[in-house]
Amino acid sequence: MRIRVDRGRCRGAGQCVLSAPELFDQSEDDGLVVVVDEQPPPTLHDKARLAERRCPNRVIRTVDEGKGDTGR
């Protein structure tokens, strides 16, 4: 899995950080999403997908290697 984000559309709601603090943070400068681990281990894939679903601005995409986007 690979995590992709569109920081240009992020509004800093922070749902990603609440859902998966191991994978996401917010910039101290502008409050926008920062990906901590773009290729998380399988044990964190469910959390990455949860953060993707909870993002109100739809800026997070999880891509399963060799399978393309998860459907967002």
Side-chain angles (χ1 to χ4, degrees), residues 30-52:
D30 55 17
L32 301 182
V33 63
V34 174
V35 180
V36 175
D37 187 351
E38 289 184 0
Q39 292 183 282
T43 56
L44 294 177
H45 287 189
D46 286 342
K47 282 193 165 192
R49 290 184 188 104
L50 177 63
E52 178 183 26

PDB file of all heavy atoms in Angstrom, residues 30-52:
ATOM      1  N   ASP A  30       1.052  25.356   8.786  1.00  0.00           N
ATOM      2  CA  ASP A  30      -0.245  25.663   8.183  1.00  0.00           C
ATOM      3  C   ASP A  30      -1.373  24.711   8.589  1.00  0.00           C
ATOM      4  O   ASP A  30      -2.508  24.872   8.164  1.00  0.00           O
ATOM      5  CB  ASP A  30      -0.137  25.703   6.661  1.00  0.00           C
ATOM      6  CG  ASP A  30       0.439  24.431   6.058  1.00  0.00           C
ATOM      7  OD1 ASP A  30       0.474  23.390   6.747  1.00  0.00           O
ATOM      8  OD2 ASP A  30       0.852  24.478   4.883  1.00  0.00           O
ATOM      9  N   GLY A  31      -1.073  23.705   9.401  1.00  0.00           N
ATOM     10  CA  GLY A  31      -2.092  22.780   9.878  1.00  0.00           C
ATOM     11  C   GLY A  31      -2.532  21.730   8.876  1.00  0.00           C
ATOM     12  O   GLY A  31      -3.430  20.952   9.149  1.00  0.00           O
ATOM     13  N   LEU A  32      -1.878  21.693   7.715  1.00  0.00           N
ATOM     14  CA  LEU A  32      -2.264  20.743   6.678  1.00  0.00           C
ATOM     15  C   LEU A  32      -1.650  19.373   6.921  1.00  0.00           C
ATOM     16  O   LEU A  32      -0.666  19.229   7.643  1.00  0.00           O
ATOM     17  CB  LEU A  32      -1.853  21.271   5.300  1.00  0.00           C
ATOM     18  CG  LEU A  32      -2.452  22.623   4.913  1.00  0.00           C
ATOM     19  CD1 LEU A  32      -2.004  23.013   3.512  1.00  0.00           C
ATOM     20  CD2 LEU A  32      -3.964  22.615   5.025  1.00  0.00           C
ATOM     21  N   VAL A  33      -2.232  18.380   6.288  1.00  0.00           N
ATOM     22  CA  VAL A  33      -1.820  16.991   6.463  1.00  0.00           C
ATOM     23  C   VAL A  33      -0.353  16.777   6.070  1.00  0.00           C
ATOM     24  O   VAL A  33       0.140  17.355   5.103  1.00  0.00           O
ATOM     25  CB  VAL A  33      -2.735  16.044   5.657  1.00  0.00           C
ATOM     26  CG1 VAL A  33      -2.636  16.298   4.165  1.00  0.00           C
ATOM     27  CG2 VAL A  33      -2.433  14.591   5.973  1.00  0.00           C
ATOM     28  N   VAL A  34       0.295  15.945   6.865  1.00  0.00           N
ATOM     29  CA  VAL A  34       1.647  15.472   6.583  1.00  0.00           C
ATOM     30  C   VAL A  34       1.602  13.954   6.708  1.00  0.00           C
ATOM     31  O   VAL A  34       1.114  13.434   7.719  1.00  0.00           O
ATOM     32  CB  VAL A  34       2.677  16.041   7.591  1.00  0.00           C
ATOM     33  CG1 VAL A  34       4.052  15.435   7.379  1.00  0.00           C
ATOM     34  CG2 VAL A  34       2.726  17.557   7.513  1.00  0.00           C
ATOM     35  N   VAL A  35       2.077  13.264   5.690  1.00  0.00           N
ATOM     36  CA  VAL A  35       2.119  11.803   5.742  1.00  0.00           C
ATOM     37  C   VAL A  35       3.419  11.400   6.433  1.00  0.00           C
ATOM     38  O   VAL A  35       4.504  11.757   5.992  1.00  0.00           O
ATOM     39  CB  VAL A  35       2.036  11.182   4.333  1.00  0.00           C
ATOM     40  CG1 VAL A  35       2.092   9.661   4.429  1.00  0.00           C
ATOM     41  CG2 VAL A  35       0.773  11.621   3.625  1.00  0.00           C
ATOM     42  N   VAL A  36       3.294  10.655   7.513  1.00  0.00           N
ATOM     43  CA  VAL A  36       4.448  10.203   8.283  1.00  0.00           C
ATOM     44  C   VAL A  36       5.076   8.967   7.647  1.00  0.00           C
ATOM     45  O   VAL A  36       6.293   8.811   7.638  1.00  0.00           O
ATOM     46  CB  VAL A  36       4.048   9.914   9.748  1.00  0.00           C
ATOM     47  CG1 VAL A  36       5.197   9.337  10.533  1.00  0.00           C
ATOM     48  CG2 VAL A  36       3.514  11.177  10.398  1.00  0.00           C
ATOM     49  N   ASP A  37       4.241   8.097   7.096  1.00  0.00           N
ATOM     50  CA  ASP A  37       4.733   6.852   6.488  1.00  0.00           C
ATOM     51  C   ASP A  37       3.927   6.590   5.217  1.00  0.00           C
ATOM     52  O   ASP A  37       2.779   6.160   5.285  1.00  0.00           O
ATOM     53  CB  ASP A  37       4.580   5.695   7.470  1.00  0.00           C
ATOM     54  CG  ASP A  37       5.212   4.407   6.997  1.00  0.00           C
ATOM     55  OD1 ASP A  37       5.637   4.329   5.828  1.00  0.00           O
ATOM     56  OD2 ASP A  37       5.282   3.457   7.797  1.00  0.00           O
ATOM     57  N   GLU A  38       4.516   6.868   4.053  1.00  0.00           N
ATOM     58  CA  GLU A  38       3.815   6.700   2.772  1.00  0.00           C
ATOM     59  C   GLU A  38       3.587   5.244   2.403  1.00  0.00           C
ATOM     60  O   GLU A  38       2.713   4.951   1.599  1.00  0.00           O
ATOM     61  CB  GLU A  38       4.591   7.382   1.647  1.00  0.00           C
ATOM     62  CG  GLU A  38       4.558   8.883   1.713  1.00  0.00           C
ATOM     63  CD  GLU A  38       5.248   9.520   0.529  1.00  0.00           C
ATOM     64  OE1 GLU A  38       5.765   8.798  -0.357  1.00  0.00           O
ATOM     65  OE2 GLU A  38       5.268  10.756   0.489  1.00  0.00           O
ATOM     66  N   GLN A  39       4.379   4.343   2.953  1.00  0.00           N
ATOM     67  CA  GLN A  39       4.226   2.915   2.677  1.00  0.00           C
ATOM     68  C   GLN A  39       4.123   2.169   4.005  1.00  0.00           C
ATOM     69  O   GLN A  39       5.084   1.560   4.468  1.00  0.00           O
ATOM     70  CB  GLN A  39       5.410   2.395   1.865  1.00  0.00           C
ATOM     71  CG  GLN A  39       5.432   2.955   0.455  1.00  0.00           C
ATOM     72  CD  GLN A  39       6.565   2.369  -0.352  1.00  0.00           C
ATOM     73  OE1 GLN A  39       7.708   2.773  -0.191  1.00  0.00           O
ATOM     74  NE2 GLN A  39       6.243   1.415  -1.194  1.00  0.00           N
ATOM     75  N   PRO A  40       2.940   2.221   4.606  1.00  0.00           N
ATOM     76  CA  PRO A  40       2.785   1.613   5.927  1.00  0.00           C
ATOM     77  C   PRO A  40       2.843   0.093   5.871  1.00  0.00           C
ATOM     78  O   PRO A  40       2.531  -0.517   4.839  1.00  0.00           O
ATOM     79  CB  PRO A  40       1.405   2.083   6.372  1.00  0.00           C
ATOM     80  CG  PRO A  40       0.658   2.308   5.104  1.00  0.00           C
ATOM     81  CD  PRO A  40       1.685   2.801   4.122  1.00  0.00           C
ATOM     82  N   PRO A  41       3.214  -0.515   6.991  1.00  0.00           N
ATOM     83  CA  PRO A  41       3.197  -1.976   7.061  1.00  0.00           C
ATOM     84  C   PRO A  41       1.752  -2.477   7.027  1.00  0.00           C
ATOM     85  O   PRO A  41       0.813  -1.729   7.345  1.00  0.00           O
ATOM     86  CB  PRO A  41       3.854  -2.278   8.415  1.00  0.00           C
ATOM     87  CG  PRO A  41       3.618  -1.052   9.229  1.00  0.00           C
ATOM     88  CD  PRO A  41       3.629   0.092   8.257  1.00  0.00           C
ATOM     89  N   PRO A  42       1.563  -3.717   6.649  1.00  0.00           N
ATOM     90  CA  PRO A  42       0.206  -4.281   6.561  1.00  0.00           C
ATOM     91  C   PRO A  42      -0.623  -4.119   7.839  1.00  0.00           C
ATOM     92  O   PRO A  42      -1.845  -3.982   7.762  1.00  0.00           O
ATOM     93  CB  PRO A  42       0.453  -5.755   6.245  1.00  0.00           C
ATOM     94  CG  PRO A  42       1.756  -5.759   5.506  1.00  0.00           C
ATOM     95  CD  PRO A  42       2.573  -4.673   6.175  1.00  0.00           C
ATOM     96  N   THR A  43       0.019  -4.082   8.982  1.00  0.00           N
ATOM     97  CA  THR A  43      -0.723  -3.934  10.237  1.00  0.00           C
ATOM     98  C   THR A  43      -1.427  -2.580  10.353  1.00  0.00           C
ATOM     99  O   THR A  43      -2.328  -2.427  11.170  1.00  0.00           O
ATOM    100  CB  THR A  43       0.215  -4.116  11.447  1.00  0.00           C
ATOM    101  OG1 THR A  43       1.288  -3.183  11.340  1.00  0.00           O
ATOM    102  CG2 THR A  43       0.744  -5.530  11.527  1.00  0.00           C
ATOM    103  N   LEU A  44      -1.021  -1.596   9.528  1.00  0.00           N
ATOM    104  CA  LEU A  44      -1.631  -0.266   9.579  1.00  0.00           C
ATOM    105  C   LEU A  44      -2.507   0.051   8.364  1.00  0.00           C
ATOM    106  O   LEU A  44      -3.033   1.155   8.249  1.00  0.00           O
ATOM    107  CB  LEU A  44      -0.542   0.804   9.726  1.00  0.00           C
ATOM    108  CG  LEU A  44       0.226   0.777  11.041  1.00  0.00           C
ATOM    109  CD1 LEU A  44       1.324   1.832  11.044  1.00  0.00           C
ATOM    110  CD2 LEU A  44      -0.715   0.981  12.219  1.00  0.00           C
ATOM    111  N   HIS A  45      -2.696  -0.909   7.478  1.00  0.00           N
ATOM    112  CA  HIS A  45      -3.495  -0.667   6.279  1.00  0.00           C
ATOM    113  C   HIS A  45      -4.936  -0.304   6.614  1.00  0.00           C
ATOM    114  O   HIS A  45      -5.515   0.602   6.001  1.00  0.00           O
ATOM    115  CB  HIS A  45      -3.454  -1.874   5.338  1.00  0.00           C
ATOM    116  CG  HIS A  45      -2.144  -2.025   4.643  1.00  0.00           C
ATOM    117  ND1 HIS A  45      -1.961  -2.941   3.630  1.00  0.00           N
ATOM    118  CD2 HIS A  45      -0.953  -1.383   4.794  1.00  0.00           C
ATOM    119  CE1 HIS A  45      -0.714  -2.856   3.195  1.00  0.00           C
ATOM    120  NE2 HIS A  45      -0.086  -1.926   3.889  1.00  0.00           N
ATOM    121  N   ASP A  46      -5.529  -0.974   7.581  1.00  0.00           N
ATOM    122  CA  ASP A  46      -6.913  -0.664   7.950  1.00  0.00           C
ATOM    123  C   ASP A  46      -7.027   0.759   8.488  1.00  0.00           C
ATOM    124  O   ASP A  46      -7.992   1.470   8.184  1.00  0.00           O
ATOM    125  CB  ASP A  46      -7.452  -1.658   8.976  1.00  0.00           C
ATOM    126  CG  ASP A  46      -7.774  -3.015   8.365  1.00  0.00           C
ATOM    127  OD1 ASP A  46      -7.902  -3.101   7.123  1.00  0.00           O
ATOM    128  OD2 ASP A  46      -7.901  -3.984   9.135  1.00  0.00           O
ATOM    129  N   LYS A  47      -6.052   1.195   9.265  1.00  0.00           N
ATOM    130  CA  LYS A  47      -6.076   2.560   9.788  1.00  0.00           C
ATOM    131  C   LYS A  47      -5.926   3.576   8.660  1.00  0.00           C
ATOM    132  O   LYS A  47      -6.558   4.630   8.683  1.00  0.00           O
ATOM    133  CB  LYS A  47      -4.977   2.759  10.833  1.00  0.00           C
ATOM    134  CG  LYS A  47      -5.320   2.188  12.178  1.00  0.00           C
ATOM    135  CD  LYS A  47      -4.361   2.687  13.223  1.00  0.00           C
ATOM    136  CE  LYS A  47      -4.920   2.413  14.606  1.00  0.00           C
ATOM    137  NZ  LYS A  47      -4.160   3.118  15.629  1.00  0.00           N
ATOM    138  N   ALA A  48      -5.097   3.277   7.680  1.00  0.00           N
ATOM    139  CA  ALA A  48      -4.936   4.179   6.538  1.00  0.00           C
ATOM    140  C   ALA A  48      -6.245   4.312   5.779  1.00  0.00           C
ATOM    141  O   ALA A  48      -6.655   5.412   5.392  1.00  0.00           O
ATOM    142  CB  ALA A  48      -3.831   3.672   5.618  1.00  0.00           C
ATOM    143  N   ARG A  49      -6.921   3.205   5.570  1.00  0.00           N
ATOM    144  CA  ARG A  49      -8.210   3.231   4.864  1.00  0.00           C
ATOM    145  C   ARG A  49      -9.274   3.965   5.673  1.00  0.00           C
ATOM    146  O   ARG A  49     -10.116   4.675   5.123  1.00  0.00           O
ATOM    147  CB  ARG A  49      -8.655   1.813   4.544  1.00  0.00           C
ATOM    148  CG  ARG A  49      -7.801   1.171   3.475  1.00  0.00           C
ATOM    149  CD  ARG A  49      -8.326  -0.218   3.100  1.00  0.00           C
ATOM    150  NE  ARG A  49      -7.390  -0.888   2.224  1.00  0.00           N
ATOM    151  CZ  ARG A  49      -6.560  -1.862   2.584  1.00  0.00           C
ATOM    152  NH1 ARG A  49      -6.558  -2.313   3.831  1.00  0.00           N
ATOM    153  NH2 ARG A  49      -5.739  -2.401   1.708  1.00  0.00           N
ATOM    154  N   LEU A  50      -9.239   3.813   6.993  1.00  0.00           N
ATOM    155  CA  LEU A  50     -10.168   4.534   7.855  1.00  0.00           C
ATOM    156  C   LEU A  50      -9.942   6.042   7.725  1.00  0.00           C
ATOM    157  O   LEU A  50     -10.898   6.812   7.584  1.00  0.00           O
ATOM    158  CB  LEU A  50      -9.996   4.092   9.309  1.00  0.00           C
ATOM    159  CG  LEU A  50     -10.859   4.821  10.337  1.00  0.00           C
ATOM    160  CD1 LEU A  50     -12.346   4.562  10.079  1.00  0.00           C
ATOM    161  CD2 LEU A  50     -10.465   4.390  11.749  1.00  0.00           C
ATOM    162  N   ALA A  51      -8.696   6.465   7.764  1.00  0.00           N
ATOM    163  CA  ALA A  51      -8.378   7.888   7.609  1.00  0.00           C
ATOM    164  C   ALA A  51      -8.847   8.393   6.245  1.00  0.00           C
ATOM    165  O   ALA A  51      -9.378   9.503   6.139  1.00  0.00           O
ATOM    166  CB  ALA A  51      -6.876   8.111   7.772  1.00  0.00           C
ATOM    167  N   GLU A  52      -8.680   7.584   5.218  1.00  0.00           N
ATOM    168  CA  GLU A  52      -9.140   7.949   3.879  1.00  0.00           C
ATOM    169  C   GLU A  52     -10.655   8.175   3.880  1.00  0.00           C
ATOM    170  O   GLU A  52     -11.149   9.180   3.350  1.00  0.00           O
ATOM    171  CB  GLU A  52      -8.776   6.838   2.896  1.00  0.00           C
ATOM    172  CG  GLU A  52      -9.243   7.088   1.485  1.00  0.00           C
ATOM    173  CD  GLU A  52      -8.922   5.941   0.555  1.00  0.00           C
ATOM    174  OE1 GLU A  52      -8.793   4.772   1.012  1.00  0.00           O
ATOM    175  OE2 GLU A  52      -8.791   6.205  -0.650  1.00  0.00           O
TER     176      GLU A  52
END
